[in-house]
């Protein structure tokens, strides 16, 4: 982290302290830089962990990441596969609810990052579960499911971020097969340019004069974000873009 600026160093150290119980040093900064750091934390959905780590009586919002079990995929075919895994696994002879939970958390992270933009909050959720119940996970089964759902490469990127920026060792993440070289760049860019896509603001409307109005900013954000993750989860990225486009047309007059 030596090559990072002070805001990035403090941000990642605060996350590791708050989420994983480490005791990394926090450097002094100006009030302006603290305001920048806290605004980044809010967009990344990690303001509660940052606030806990600072322990200075900060008022922070509650964690807005939903619990695993409610995950879904935009691609209908892949989502049916996910539902099938979720329904059949508890009935199998070697059922592993912990493995199913781990899959749900990875799916949730993947779908949310593709839809709303990159957030360290979902990556931390993966890391916390690995440290909590990682010894109970069937990694052979998990790896097969990730391949079946065509999100294995995305899972490798998420795991690489845990190793590159959040203090994990590669052998802690037993489904990790390689280190993705884009992990470091993605994290540093996301701190410099935090993004939270407001999907409800991408809409196409017909005005009273018959002209069509569109929110080009949100549309372009969605297209660029889906394109960024196309190489990691191509079917899900394309489907997410299509789903958002169809939803944006819902306001058009019949």
């Amino acid at each position: 982290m030596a090559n990072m600026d002070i805001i990035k160093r403090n941000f990642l150290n605060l996350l590791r302290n708050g989420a994983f119980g480490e005791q990394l040093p926090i450097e002094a900064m100006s009030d302006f830089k603290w305001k920048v750091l806290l605004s980044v934390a809010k967009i990344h959905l990690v303001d509660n962990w940052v606030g806990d780590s600072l322990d200075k009586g900060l008022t922070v919002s509650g964690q807005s990441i939903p619990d695993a079990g409610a995950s879904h995929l935009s691609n209908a075919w892949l989502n049916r596969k996910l539902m099938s895994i979720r329904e059949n696994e508890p009935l199998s002879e070697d059922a592993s609810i912990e493995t199913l939970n781990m899959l749900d958390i990875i799916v949730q992270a993947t779908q949310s990052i593709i839809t709303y933009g990159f957030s360290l909050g979902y990556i931390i959720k993966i890391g916390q579960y690995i440290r909590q119940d990682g010894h109970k996970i069937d990694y052979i089964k998990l790896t097969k499911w990730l391949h079946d759902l065509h999100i294995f490469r995305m899972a490798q990127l998420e795991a690489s971020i845990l190793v590159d920026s959040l203090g994990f060792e590669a052998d802690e993440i037993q489904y990790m097969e390689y280190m993705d070289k884009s992990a470091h760049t993605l994290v540093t860019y996301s701190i410099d340019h935090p993004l939270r896509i407001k999907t409800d603001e991408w809409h196409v409307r017909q005005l009273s004069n018959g002209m069509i109005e569109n929110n080009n900013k949100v549309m372009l954000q969605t297209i660029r974000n889906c394109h960024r993750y196309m190489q990691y989860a191509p079917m899900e990225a394309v489907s997410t873009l299509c789903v958002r486009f169809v939803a944006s047309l819902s306001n058009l007059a019949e």
Side-chain angles (χ1 to χ4, degrees), residues 49 61 64 70 83 93 95 102 121 124 139 149 161 219 242 248 250 253:
W49 289 310
S61 64
S64 56
M83 296 301 105
E93 292 183 0
M102 185 77 263
I124 287 175
Y139 288 100
L149 296 175
I161 292 168
M219 179 186 71
C242 291
S248 73
S250 60

mmCIF file with all atom_site columns, all heavy atoms in Angstrom, residues 49 61 64 70 83 93 95 102 121 124 139 149 161 219 242 248 250 253:
data_model
loop_
_atom_site.group_PDB
_atom_site.id
_atom_site.type_symbol
_atom_site.label_atom_id
_atom_site.label_alt_id
_atom_site.label_comp_id
_atom_site.label_asym_id
_atom_site.label_entity_id
_atom_site.label_seq_id
_atom_site.pdbx_PDB_ins_code
_atom_site.Cartn_x
_atom_site.Cartn_y
_atom_site.Cartn_z
_atom_site.occupancy
_atom_site.B_iso_or_equiv
_atom_site.pdbx_formal_charge
_atom_site.auth_seq_id
_atom_site.auth_comp_id
_atom_site.auth_asym_id
_atom_site.auth_atom_id
_atom_site.pdbx_PDB_model_num
ATOM 1   N N   . TRP A 1 49  ? -18.443 0.041   9.125   1.00 0.00 ? 49  TRP A N   1
ATOM 2   C CA  . TRP A 1 49  ? -17.147 -0.516  9.519   1.00 0.00 ? 49  TRP A CA  1
ATOM 3   C C   . TRP A 1 49  ? -16.109 0.585   9.708   1.00 0.00 ? 49  TRP A C   1
ATOM 4   O O   . TRP A 1 49  ? -15.297 0.526   10.630  1.00 0.00 ? 49  TRP A O   1
ATOM 5   C CB  . TRP A 1 49  ? -16.667 -1.529  8.476   1.00 0.00 ? 49  TRP A CB  1
ATOM 6   C CG  . TRP A 1 49  ? -17.453 -2.798  8.481   1.00 0.00 ? 49  TRP A CG  1
ATOM 7   C CD1 . TRP A 1 49  ? -17.753 -3.575  9.568   1.00 0.00 ? 49  TRP A CD1 1
ATOM 8   C CD2 . TRP A 1 49  ? -18.067 -3.430  7.363   1.00 0.00 ? 49  TRP A CD2 1
ATOM 9   N NE1 . TRP A 1 49  ? -18.503 -4.656  9.174   1.00 0.00 ? 49  TRP A NE1 1
ATOM 10  C CE2 . TRP A 1 49  ? -18.712 -4.600  7.833   1.00 0.00 ? 49  TRP A CE2 1
ATOM 11  C CE3 . TRP A 1 49  ? -18.128 -3.133  6.000   1.00 0.00 ? 49  TRP A CE3 1
ATOM 12  C CZ2 . TRP A 1 49  ? -19.410 -5.465  6.996   1.00 0.00 ? 49  TRP A CZ2 1
ATOM 13  C CZ3 . TRP A 1 49  ? -18.825 -3.986  5.163   1.00 0.00 ? 49  TRP A CZ3 1
ATOM 14  C CH2 . TRP A 1 49  ? -19.451 -5.135  5.664   1.00 0.00 ? 49  TRP A CH2 1
ATOM 15  N N   . SER A 1 61  ? -24.619 5.290   8.940   1.00 0.00 ? 61  SER A N   1
ATOM 16  C CA  . SER A 1 61  ? -25.819 4.541   8.606   1.00 0.00 ? 61  SER A CA  1
ATOM 17  C C   . SER A 1 61  ? -25.584 3.065   8.817   1.00 0.00 ? 61  SER A C   1
ATOM 18  O O   . SER A 1 61  ? -24.461 2.575   8.777   1.00 0.00 ? 61  SER A O   1
ATOM 19  C CB  . SER A 1 61  ? -26.190 4.790   7.133   1.00 0.00 ? 61  SER A CB  1
ATOM 20  O OG  . SER A 1 61  ? -25.187 4.302   6.285   1.00 0.00 ? 61  SER A OG  1
ATOM 21  N N   . SER A 1 64  ? -26.290 -1.626  4.606   1.00 0.00 ? 64  SER A N   1
ATOM 22  C CA  . SER A 1 64  ? -27.430 -1.802  3.712   1.00 0.00 ? 64  SER A CA  1
ATOM 23  C C   . SER A 1 64  ? -27.302 -3.027  2.820   1.00 0.00 ? 64  SER A C   1
ATOM 24  O O   . SER A 1 64  ? -28.083 -3.208  1.904   1.00 0.00 ? 64  SER A O   1
ATOM 25  C CB  . SER A 1 64  ? -27.592 -0.551  2.830   1.00 0.00 ? 64  SER A CB  1
ATOM 26  O OG  . SER A 1 64  ? -26.400 -0.291  2.120   1.00 0.00 ? 64  SER A OG  1
ATOM 27  N N   . ALA A 1 70  ? -31.163 -14.206 -0.531  1.00 0.00 ? 70  ALA A N   1
ATOM 28  C CA  . ALA A 1 70  ? -32.069 -13.466 -1.405  1.00 0.00 ? 70  ALA A CA  1
ATOM 29  C C   . ALA A 1 70  ? -31.394 -13.130 -2.727  1.00 0.00 ? 70  ALA A C   1
ATOM 30  O O   . ALA A 1 70  ? -31.882 -12.294 -3.476  1.00 0.00 ? 70  ALA A O   1
ATOM 31  C CB  . ALA A 1 70  ? -32.519 -12.185 -0.718  1.00 0.00 ? 70  ALA A CB  1
ATOM 32  N N   . MET A 1 83  ? -31.680 -21.288 -8.668  1.00 0.00 ? 83  MET A N   1
ATOM 33  C CA  . MET A 1 83  ? -32.827 -21.749 -7.886  1.00 0.00 ? 83  MET A CA  1
ATOM 34  C C   . MET A 1 83  ? -32.787 -23.265 -7.713  1.00 0.00 ? 83  MET A C   1
ATOM 35  O O   . MET A 1 83  ? -33.126 -23.795 -6.647  1.00 0.00 ? 83  MET A O   1
ATOM 36  C CB  . MET A 1 83  ? -34.138 -21.339 -8.569  1.00 0.00 ? 83  MET A CB  1
ATOM 37  C CG  . MET A 1 83  ? -34.385 -19.842 -8.668  1.00 0.00 ? 83  MET A CG  1
ATOM 38  S SD  . MET A 1 83  ? -34.425 -19.011 -7.069  1.00 0.00 ? 83  MET A SD  1
ATOM 39  C CE  . MET A 1 83  ? -32.821 -18.197 -7.091  1.00 0.00 ? 83  MET A CE  1
ATOM 40  N N   . GLU A 1 93  ? -27.298 -35.970 0.048   1.00 0.00 ? 93  GLU A N   1
ATOM 41  C CA  . GLU A 1 93  ? -26.740 -36.721 1.169   1.00 0.00 ? 93  GLU A CA  1
ATOM 42  C C   . GLU A 1 93  ? -25.598 -35.972 1.849   1.00 0.00 ? 93  GLU A C   1
ATOM 43  O O   . GLU A 1 93  ? -25.404 -36.103 3.057   1.00 0.00 ? 93  GLU A O   1
ATOM 44  C CB  . GLU A 1 93  ? -26.254 -38.089 0.681   1.00 0.00 ? 93  GLU A CB  1
ATOM 45  C CG  . GLU A 1 93  ? -27.382 -39.021 0.241   1.00 0.00 ? 93  GLU A CG  1
ATOM 46  C CD  . GLU A 1 93  ? -26.859 -40.386 -0.161  1.00 0.00 ? 93  GLU A CD  1
ATOM 47  O OE1 . GLU A 1 93  ? -25.626 -40.587 -0.094  1.00 0.00 ? 93  GLU A OE1 1
ATOM 48  O OE2 . GLU A 1 93  ? -27.679 -41.246 -0.531  1.00 0.00 ? 93  GLU A OE2 1
ATOM 49  N N   . ALA A 1 95  ? -25.243 -32.645 2.002   1.00 0.00 ? 95  ALA A N   1
ATOM 50  C CA  . ALA A 1 95  ? -25.691 -31.248 1.972   1.00 0.00 ? 95  ALA A CA  1
ATOM 51  C C   . ALA A 1 95  ? -24.780 -30.353 2.807   1.00 0.00 ? 95  ALA A C   1
ATOM 52  O O   . ALA A 1 95  ? -24.339 -30.717 3.896   1.00 0.00 ? 95  ALA A O   1
ATOM 53  C CB  . ALA A 1 95  ? -27.124 -31.147 2.480   1.00 0.00 ? 95  ALA A CB  1
ATOM 54  N N   . MET A 1 102 ? -22.200 -19.478 1.032   1.00 0.00 ? 102 MET A N   1
ATOM 55  C CA  . MET A 1 102 ? -21.057 -18.852 0.372   1.00 0.00 ? 102 MET A CA  1
ATOM 56  C C   . MET A 1 102 ? -21.389 -18.533 -1.075  1.00 0.00 ? 102 MET A C   1
ATOM 57  O O   . MET A 1 102 ? -21.057 -17.451 -1.580  1.00 0.00 ? 102 MET A O   1
ATOM 58  C CB  . MET A 1 102 ? -19.851 -19.793 0.432   1.00 0.00 ? 102 MET A CB  1
ATOM 59  C CG  . MET A 1 102 ? -18.551 -19.197 -0.117  1.00 0.00 ? 102 MET A CG  1
ATOM 60  S SD  . MET A 1 102 ? -17.734 -18.042 0.993   1.00 0.00 ? 102 MET A SD  1
ATOM 61  C CE  . MET A 1 102 ? -18.291 -16.455 0.381   1.00 0.00 ? 102 MET A CE  1
ATOM 62  N N   . GLY A 1 121 ? -18.103 -3.163  0.025   1.00 0.00 ? 121 GLY A N   1
ATOM 63  C CA  . GLY A 1 121 ? -18.965 -3.764  1.040   1.00 0.00 ? 121 GLY A CA  1
ATOM 64  C C   . GLY A 1 121 ? -19.267 -5.220  0.756   1.00 0.00 ? 121 GLY A C   1
ATOM 65  O O   . GLY A 1 121 ? -19.265 -6.067  1.655   1.00 0.00 ? 121 GLY A O   1
ATOM 66  N N   . ILE A 1 124 ? -16.136 -7.420  1.296   1.00 0.00 ? 124 ILE A N   1
ATOM 67  C CA  . ILE A 1 124 ? -15.907 -7.660  2.713   1.00 0.00 ? 124 ILE A CA  1
ATOM 68  C C   . ILE A 1 124 ? -16.831 -8.752  3.228   1.00 0.00 ? 124 ILE A C   1
ATOM 69  O O   . ILE A 1 124 ? -16.434 -9.601  4.033   1.00 0.00 ? 124 ILE A O   1
ATOM 70  C CB  . ILE A 1 124 ? -16.093 -6.361  3.508   1.00 0.00 ? 124 ILE A CB  1
ATOM 71  C CG1 . ILE A 1 124 ? -14.903 -5.428  3.256   1.00 0.00 ? 124 ILE A CG1 1
ATOM 72  C CG2 . ILE A 1 124 ? -16.233 -6.641  4.999   1.00 0.00 ? 124 ILE A CG2 1
ATOM 73  C CD1 . ILE A 1 124 ? -15.037 -4.071  3.897   1.00 0.00 ? 124 ILE A CD1 1
ATOM 74  N N   . TYR A 1 139 ? -15.334 -26.782 -1.024  1.00 0.00 ? 139 TYR A N   1
ATOM 75  C CA  . TYR A 1 139 ? -14.812 -25.932 -2.082  1.00 0.00 ? 139 TYR A CA  1
ATOM 76  C C   . TYR A 1 139 ? -14.879 -26.593 -3.456  1.00 0.00 ? 139 TYR A C   1
ATOM 77  O O   . TYR A 1 139 ? -14.955 -25.898 -4.475  1.00 0.00 ? 139 TYR A O   1
ATOM 78  C CB  . TYR A 1 139 ? -13.385 -25.493 -1.757  1.00 0.00 ? 139 TYR A CB  1
ATOM 79  C CG  . TYR A 1 139 ? -13.353 -24.477 -0.639  1.00 0.00 ? 139 TYR A CG  1
ATOM 80  C CD1 . TYR A 1 139 ? -13.045 -24.861 0.665   1.00 0.00 ? 139 TYR A CD1 1
ATOM 81  C CD2 . TYR A 1 139 ? -13.666 -23.148 -0.876  1.00 0.00 ? 139 TYR A CD2 1
ATOM 82  C CE1 . TYR A 1 139 ? -13.035 -23.930 1.702   1.00 0.00 ? 139 TYR A CE1 1
ATOM 83  C CE2 . TYR A 1 139 ? -13.661 -22.212 0.138   1.00 0.00 ? 139 TYR A CE2 1
ATOM 84  C CZ  . TYR A 1 139 ? -13.345 -22.606 1.428   1.00 0.00 ? 139 TYR A CZ  1
ATOM 85  O OH  . TYR A 1 139 ? -13.352 -21.680 2.448   1.00 0.00 ? 139 TYR A OH  1
ATOM 86  N N   . LEU A 1 149 ? -22.726 -21.495 -13.124 1.00 0.00 ? 149 LEU A N   1
ATOM 87  C CA  . LEU A 1 149 ? -23.419 -20.207 -13.210 1.00 0.00 ? 149 LEU A CA  1
ATOM 88  C C   . LEU A 1 149 ? -22.643 -19.172 -14.031 1.00 0.00 ? 149 LEU A C   1
ATOM 89  O O   . LEU A 1 149 ? -23.067 -18.023 -14.138 1.00 0.00 ? 149 LEU A O   1
ATOM 90  C CB  . LEU A 1 149 ? -23.667 -19.653 -11.800 1.00 0.00 ? 149 LEU A CB  1
ATOM 91  C CG  . LEU A 1 149 ? -24.599 -20.497 -10.913 1.00 0.00 ? 149 LEU A CG  1
ATOM 92  C CD1 . LEU A 1 149 ? -24.666 -19.923 -9.505  1.00 0.00 ? 149 LEU A CD1 1
ATOM 93  C CD2 . LEU A 1 149 ? -25.996 -20.593 -11.520 1.00 0.00 ? 149 LEU A CD2 1
ATOM 94  N N   . ILE A 1 161 ? -9.196  -9.320  -4.873  1.00 0.00 ? 161 ILE A N   1
ATOM 95  C CA  . ILE A 1 161 ? -9.297  -8.047  -4.151  1.00 0.00 ? 161 ILE A CA  1
ATOM 96  C C   . ILE A 1 161 ? -9.084  -8.266  -2.659  1.00 0.00 ? 161 ILE A C   1
ATOM 97  O O   . ILE A 1 161 ? -8.425  -7.466  -1.990  1.00 0.00 ? 161 ILE A O   1
ATOM 98  C CB  . ILE A 1 161 ? -10.665 -7.390  -4.429  1.00 0.00 ? 161 ILE A CB  1
ATOM 99  C CG1 . ILE A 1 161 ? -10.731 -6.937  -5.892  1.00 0.00 ? 161 ILE A CG1 1
ATOM 100 C CG2 . ILE A 1 161 ? -10.912 -6.209  -3.487  1.00 0.00 ? 161 ILE A CG2 1
ATOM 101 C CD1 . ILE A 1 161 ? -12.116 -6.536  -6.351  1.00 0.00 ? 161 ILE A CD1 1
ATOM 102 N N   . MET A 1 219 ? -27.765 6.038   -18.167 1.00 0.00 ? 219 MET A N   1
ATOM 103 C CA  . MET A 1 219 ? -27.695 5.029   -19.222 1.00 0.00 ? 219 MET A CA  1
ATOM 104 C C   . MET A 1 219 ? -26.238 4.706   -19.553 1.00 0.00 ? 219 MET A C   1
ATOM 105 O O   . MET A 1 219 ? -25.853 3.526   -19.637 1.00 0.00 ? 219 MET A O   1
ATOM 106 C CB  . MET A 1 219 ? -28.417 5.515   -20.477 1.00 0.00 ? 219 MET A CB  1
ATOM 107 C CG  . MET A 1 219 ? -28.360 4.518   -21.638 1.00 0.00 ? 219 MET A CG  1
ATOM 108 S SD  . MET A 1 219 ? -29.067 5.184   -23.164 1.00 0.00 ? 219 MET A SD  1
ATOM 109 C CE  . MET A 1 219 ? -27.825 6.396   -23.617 1.00 0.00 ? 219 MET A CE  1
ATOM 110 N N   . CYS A 1 242 ? -29.690 -5.648  -20.594 1.00 0.00 ? 242 CYS A N   1
ATOM 111 C CA  . CYS A 1 242 ? -30.983 -5.813  -21.260 1.00 0.00 ? 242 CYS A CA  1
ATOM 112 C C   . CYS A 1 242 ? -32.142 -5.575  -20.294 1.00 0.00 ? 242 CYS A C   1
ATOM 113 O O   . CYS A 1 242 ? -33.118 -4.909  -20.634 1.00 0.00 ? 242 CYS A O   1
ATOM 114 C CB  . CYS A 1 242 ? -31.091 -7.211  -21.866 1.00 0.00 ? 242 CYS A CB  1
ATOM 115 S SG  . CYS A 1 242 ? -29.993 -7.509  -23.263 1.00 0.00 ? 242 CYS A SG  1
ATOM 116 N N   . SER A 1 248 ? -36.212 0.608   -18.265 1.00 0.00 ? 248 SER A N   1
ATOM 117 C CA  . SER A 1 248 ? -36.202 2.045   -18.540 1.00 0.00 ? 248 SER A CA  1
ATOM 118 C C   . SER A 1 248 ? -37.334 2.452   -19.473 1.00 0.00 ? 248 SER A C   1
ATOM 119 O O   . SER A 1 248 ? -37.725 3.630   -19.532 1.00 0.00 ? 248 SER A O   1
ATOM 120 C CB  . SER A 1 248 ? -34.856 2.450   -19.170 1.00 0.00 ? 248 SER A CB  1
ATOM 121 O OG  . SER A 1 248 ? -34.762 2.004   -20.509 1.00 0.00 ? 248 SER A OG  1
ATOM 122 N N   . SER A 1 250 ? -40.370 1.393   -19.220 1.00 0.00 ? 250 SER A N   1
ATOM 123 C CA  . SER A 1 250 ? -41.655 1.168   -18.551 1.00 0.00 ? 250 SER A CA  1
ATOM 124 C C   . SER A 1 250 ? -42.479 2.442   -18.435 1.00 0.00 ? 250 SER A C   1
ATOM 125 O O   . SER A 1 250 ? -43.709 2.371   -18.264 1.00 0.00 ? 250 SER A O   1
ATOM 126 C CB  . SER A 1 250 ? -41.427 0.576   -17.154 1.00 0.00 ? 250 SER A CB  1
ATOM 127 O OG  . SER A 1 250 ? -40.655 1.457   -16.354 1.00 0.00 ? 250 SER A OG  1
ATOM 128 N N   . ALA A 1 253 ? -45.466 5.969   -22.718 1.00 0.00 ? 253 ALA A N   1
ATOM 129 C CA  . ALA A 1 253 ? -46.920 5.883   -22.876 1.00 0.00 ? 253 ALA A CA  1
ATOM 130 C C   . ALA A 1 253 ? -47.261 4.728   -23.810 1.00 0.00 ? 253 ALA A C   1
ATOM 131 O O   . ALA A 1 253 ? -46.543 4.438   -24.759 1.00 0.00 ? 253 ALA A O   1
ATOM 132 C CB  . ALA A 1 253 ? -47.458 7.193   -23.453 1.00 0.00 ? 253 ALA A CB  1
#
